Amino acid sequence: MSRFERFFRAAASLDVDKNDLKRYSDFVDGKLYDLLLVAQAAAKANDRDIVELWDLPITKGLQESIHRFRRLDEEIELKPILEQLAAHPLLDRAPSEETEARYPEIIGGLSLALAETFKIMYPDVKNPQTKHWEGATAIFDLLL
């Protein structure tokens, strides 16, 4: 079983497969881009060329998910994989090293929140299908 599969099983008792990996990767890319887009606007509004960590619109709920991810990641060690997914899109403002270094944990927090969203929206689902991914993703699109 891959770390990706172990993570979703540990986070929300979900069984994911290779098809889900593509959906997950698209989700992570899209949400990281959304966060960076807002952060870039904040940096620009403050006349800075660099996106600082505090520019990222990290909500209380996402911060709590990041903390829960850190505890869960001690067992699963997903962070090295998330570092590969954390390639940021090119924007007008470059992230600071500190900001960039936090991407894996931010992605981890988003991932944990996604897994928990599946369980809240679809409590009986064990293996999320396309309609479940679309529903969960739509919630994040509304909020992030």
Side-chain angles (χ1 to χ4, degrees), residues 91-120:
L91 299 169
D92 293 341
R93 306 274 189 284
S96 69
E97 286 182 25
E98 179 187 10
T99 302
E100 206 165 28
R102 294 288 301 274
Y103 289 175
E105 287 183 343
I106 293 167
I107 291 171
L110 287 167
S111 301
L112 188 59
L114 173 66
E116 292 171 346
T117 299
F118 281 123
K119 291 317 274 184
I120 291 167

Side-chain angles (χ1 to χ4, degrees), residues 2-135:
S2 73
R3 288 181 188 176
F4 166 72
E5 292 168 310
R6 283 197 343 250
F7 171 77
F8 275 91
R9 184 159 297 153
S13 301
L14 294 172
D15 293 321
V16 294
D17 56 31
K18 286 184 172 52
N19 292 330
D20 294 317
L21 185 56
K22 170 70 172 124
R23 292 181 187 121
Y24 169 70
S25 180
D26 290 347
F27 169 81
V28 165
D29 287 346
K31 293 302 110 195
L32 182 60
Y33 178 78
D34 291 347
L35 290 171
L36 289 171
L37 205 56
V38 173
Q40 175 182 264
K44 185 176 184 178
N46 288 296
D47 279 334
R48 283 185 280 104
D49 291 334
I50 302 292
V51 172
E52 297 292 351
L53 190 55
W54 57 82
D55 292 322
L56 291 166
I58 305 294
T59 63
K60 176 182 174 281
L62 180 53
Q63 185 65 49
E64 291 170 357
S65 292
I66 290 168
H67 290 306
R68 286 193 311 276
F69 168 76
R70 286 181 189 139
R71 289 190 297 273
L72 183 62
D73 192 46
E74 288 175 11
E75 306 168 21
I76 299 173
E77 297 178 355
L78 192 66
K79 196 172 175 185
I81 293 170
L82 297 182
E83 287 171 354
Q84 295 170 2
L85 291 175
H88 64 85
L90 293 176
L91 299 169
D92 293 341
R93 306 274 189 284
S96 69
E97 286 182 25
E98 179 187 10
T99 302
E100 206 165 28
R102 294 288 301 274
Y103 289 175
E105 287 183 343
I106 293 167
I107 291 171
L110 287 167
S111 301
L112 188 59
L114 173 66
E116 292 171 346
T117 299
F118 281 123
K119 291 317 274 184
I120 291 167
M121 292 179 67
Y122 314 106
D124 298 328
V125 167
K126 291 291 180 198
N127 185 348
Q129 302 300 308
T130 300
K131 68 179 181 178
H132 304 120
W133 279 93
E134 289 171 350

